Amino acid sequence: MKILVIGGGAREHALAWKLSREPDVESVICTPGNPGIASAARCLPADVSAPGELLAIAEAQAVDLTVVGPELPLSRGVVDGVGFFGATE
């Protein structure tokens, strides 16, 4: 399974670290990430306030699941995309 984690803070670092250690997870990608997250996931640059950009990354990377950490992309409707996990309210 390929997983995309959206965000670049401590919460997303913890998520990427834990997910990278799961036996069924092939790879973890984080956008935008940070140098600490890079030890557990491949980081790609992106604007977390642009849902279209995040959806394009998820499609281009052929991820199976996207986990959204920050509130900003959630408030902009990014979880309306297929295979995205995050709060809706």
Side-chain angles (χ1 to χ4, degrees):
M1 175 181 281
K2 288 177 77 174
I3 300 176
L4 172 65
V5 176
I6 296 175
R11 172 183 10 197
E12 293 79 30
H13 187 175
L15 287 167
W17 179 85
K18 178 59 178 161
L19 290 168
S20 71
R21 282 151 177 71
E22 292 299 315
D24 293 333
V25 174
E26 173 188 331
S27 66
V28 178
I29 303 163
C30 191
T31 186
N34 67 40
I37 292 173
S39 66
R42 183 167 52 102
C43 295
L44 299 175
D47 179 358
V48 297
S49 68
E53 186 176 341
L54 300 172
L55 290 167
I57 289 171
E59 289 176 5
Q61 297 298 317
V63 298
D64 300 299
L65 175 68
T66 301
V67 180
V68 185
E71 291 78 17
L72 183 59
L74 293 171
S75 70
R76 302 254 169 118
V78 74
V79 293
D80 296 339
V82 176
F84 275 65
F85 174 79
T88 56
E89 292 185 21

